[in-house]
Amino acid sequence: MDKVLLVIPAYNEEKNIRKVVGRLVEDFPELDYIVVNDGSRDSTADICRQNGYNLLDLPVNLGLAGCFQAGMKYAYLKGYQYAIQFDGDGQHRPEYIGAMKDKMDEGYDIVVGSRFVEQRKDWSPRMLGSRLIGAAIRLTTGAKIKDPTSGMRMFNRSMIEEFALNLNYGPEPDTLSFLIKQGARVAEIQVEIDERLAGESYLKPMVAMKYMTRMLISIFLIQNFRKR
């Protein structure tokens, strides 16, 4: 797993970060990681310092886009060939990273850890949103992405450079759509995504609805005017 970096955005993850990073350190020592503390108001950064975790401590909250870009700049400057977006809430499983890298080595730029390569989506409101976003990406790019809202994504060196040096990309489905339009090759592998260890997801029903609407507007309209 040489030259793979886990970028772990963390905002107010004091209840989860010790378990997430502790498991990496104990069970997957071959994996490099960086916790990007996004101006947390709780003790996330203190926990990382006390335990000697690799920490990039942002002085203010930049939001997911700025936080992730900071991690990708770190990956770029340190010469990593691969970087993976890895949540600090315990949802992502590190045991799939090897398979994601193997898939990427077949010639892909982005590999998505997907819940729906081998399994079918249900028809819950949340999965309806995922279906709509996936349909929007397919209509505008021709690419079939079965799990466009998965936050577990691996990027190769050229994609690291895109995030680090060009637009302030957010690691979201509309950015995935934009990169596909720019020629990025995307694959998916089957993974299991766990429920967050503690705390509440920010994607509550009304927030999730606004998120879906924003993604659809961005994919259908804004992406046509977006420049690198």
Side-chain angles (χ1 to χ4, degrees), residues 25-146:
V25 172
E26 292 178 10
D27 298 339
F28 298 88
E30 71 277 13
L31 294 173
D32 289 353
Y33 70 89
I34 185 73
V35 178
V36 186
N37 177 48
D38 191 20
S40 296
R41 294 173 293 176
D42 64 4
S43 60
T44 298
D46 291 336
I47 291 171
C48 289
R49 292 192 190 96
Q50 291 165 7
N51 288 276
Y53 298 157
N54 302 325
L55 175 66
L56 182 59
D57 193 15
L58 304 181
V60 296
N61 177 250
L62 297 180
L64 180 58
C67 175
F68 183 70
Q69 188 181 37
M72 294 297 260
K73 285 180 181 290
Y74 179 94
Y76 176 76
L77 292 172
K78 295 294 185 180
Y80 284 94
Q81 298 301 308
Y82 306 95
I84 182 166
Q85 179 184 349
F86 195 84
D87 285 354
D89 58 11
Q91 289 188 300
H92 296 163
R93 297 184 181 182
E95 54 262 40
Y96 293 111
I97 293 174
M100 293 176 74
K101 181 180 178 295
D102 289 344
K103 188 68 176 179
M104 180 162 281
D105 287 343
E106 295 177 12
Y108 294 100
D109 300 297
I110 302 169
V111 174
V112 178
S114 171
R115 294 162 287 184
F116 307 115
V117 173
E118 301 168 2
Q119 300 178 15
R120 302 187 69 176
K121 292 179 184 177
D122 60 37
W123 289 94
S124 66
R126 189 166 186 175
M127 289 301 103
L128 178 60
S130 176
R131 289 176 186 272
L132 289 172
I133 293 171
I137 293 175
R138 189 168 189 180
L139 284 171
T140 55
T141 69
K144 185 176 182 180
I145 306 298
K146 296 180 179 179

Side-chain angles (χ1 to χ4, degrees), residues 128-176:
L128 178 60
S130 176
R131 289 176 186 272
L132 289 172
I133 293 171
I137 293 175
R138 189 168 189 180
L139 284 171
T140 55
T141 69
K144 185 176 182 180
I145 306 298
K146 296 180 179 179
D147 197 359
T149 60
S150 170
M152 191 176 185
R153 307 180 184 100
M154 181 177 282
F155 304 91
N156 69 4
R157 180 68 182 178
S158 65
M159 292 293 102
I160 292 172
E161 184 173 352
E162 282 288 329
F163 279 92
L165 302 182
N166 295 317
L167 273 181
N168 186 19
Y169 295 114
E172 301 286 7
D174 58 340
T175 295
L176 189 64

